[in-house]
Amino acid sequence: GAVVSQHPSWVICKSGTSVKIECRSLDFQATTMFWYRQFPKQSLMLMATSNEGSKATYEQGVEKDKFLINHASLTLSTLTVTSAHPEDSSFYICSASFSQNEQFFGPGTRLTVL
Amino acid sequence: DAKTTQPTSMDCAEGRAANLPCNHSTISGNEYVYWYRQIHSQGPQYIIHGLKNNETNEMASLIITEDRKSSTLILPHATLRDTAVYYCIVRVPYTGTASKLTFGTGTRLQVTL
């Protein structure tokens, strides 16, 4: 149980385009989902926290207009990287949580912006 | 959340116990100690967590000192598949909404033949 999926697992896009990444909790309802970003050889950095049906809370330094997060249902959250640039290339990871302390992580999405 | 300090890297021979230390000297009384690991190019995987008492599950054991200022994650019989970055995180308990995790740099464990 407690499986989280992400789609796509990897994506390559041109600079200036937008990319949407989906995060799904497959066998539980996630009241809270988190989005992280990880650059090569670095640790995970939390970007934002989203609770179902409400606006996401962004960490300091993360542009909310550039990284659009939607958490419209208890099993799906999306992260849209708008007007992507090469410096947005990274490994994006989501996690989902319900009533317990644990967070269950997705497998990650590798974004490469050309 | 309290800051943690871990060694940058460790090696362990396959079949031996891997003991990964973590210092969290500023931990508060209600903060839990969590351990996650991340195998290369994958999402983090939950291992174990505890508050005061030692904990054991099918993956590992967690030993927390009496003053709670440090802890040790023990993988009793390390295998090559345990090669990963191990993160020690302290966080407040669930209070109705999930609290965020703050990842440090972790310990890169290399298990060798």
Side-chain angles (χ1 to χ4, degrees):
Chain A
V3 177
V4 176
S5 70
Q6 283 185 238
H7 178 79
S9 55
W10 60 270
V11 57
I12 301 173
C13 71
K14 293 182 179 180
S15 185
T17 61
S18 295
V19 174
K20 180 184 285 188
I21 302 170
E22 294 185 347
C23 176
R24 293 181 184 273
S25 55
L26 299 184
D27 52 2
F28 66 99
Q29 293 186 323
T31 51
T32 306
M33 287 186 170
F34 302 85
W35 286 96
Y36 296 82
R37 179 168 55 180
Q38 185 175 33
F39 292 107
K41 297 187 178 181
Q42 295 187 23
S43 189
L44 284 79
M45 296 297 295
L46 180 66
M47 300 175 66
T49 303
S50 74
N51 292 297
E52 185 266 339
S54 60
K55 291 184 178 180
T57 301
Y58 290 81
E59 294 298 302
Q60 190 173 9
V62 178
E63 300 176 57
K64 63 179 182 179
D65 294 330
K66 180 171 180 61
F67 299 98
L68 303 178
I69 292 173
N70 183 282
H71 191 172
S73 78
L74 287 172
T75 59
L76 173 65
S77 176
T78 60
L79 167 69
T80 301
V81 182
T82 63
S83 186
H85 288 93
E87 56 266 30
D88 298 322
S89 298
S90 187
F91 192 48
Y92 291 86
I93 306 169
C94 74
S95 70
S97 183
F98 51 106
S99 62
Q100 300 177 14
N101 275 307
E102 294 177 34
Q103 285 186 29
F104 301 95
F105 286 83
T109 297
R110 186 161 303 282
L111 170 64
T112 301
V113 184
L114 302 176
Chain B
D1 292 344
K3 183 177 178 180
T4 61
T5 304
Q6 298 177 252
T8 303
S9 63
M10 293 181 65
D11 291 333
C12 178
E14 189 176 34
R16 296 293 189 109
N19 298 288
L20 292 88
C22 178
N23 286 321
H24 31 80
S25 58
T26 59
I27 191 171
S28 300
N30 65 340
E31 288 183 311
Y32 285 74
V33 179
Y34 278 75
W35 284 83
Y36 284 80
R37 73 180 182 183
Q38 186 180 26
I39 296 171
H40 183 64
S41 294
Q42 297 183 24
Q45 176 190 20
Y46 166 82
I47 301 173
I48 198 168
H49 75 277
L51 181 63
K52 294 181 182 179
N53 300 319
N54 299 337
E55 302 287 345
T56 296
N57 63 20
E58 64 278 4
M59 289 183 68
S61 294
L62 174 60
I63 308 298
I64 302 174
T65 58
E66 192 171 345
D67 63 7
R68 302 207 327 120
K69 292 185 177 182
S70 65
S71 61
T72 300
L73 177 74
I74 301 173
L75 307 179
H77 304 287
T79 70
L80 296 177
R81 288 177 294 181
D82 292 321
T83 293
V85 178
Y86 288 77
Y87 296 99
C88 168
I89 301 168
V90 292
R91 62 184 287 211
V92 296
Y94 174 74
T95 55
T97 56
S99 60
K100 62 184 181 182
L101 294 172
T102 301
F103 285 82
T105 53
T107 296
R108 184 172 298 278
L109 176 68
Q110 180 67 53
V111 181
T112 58
L113 291 172

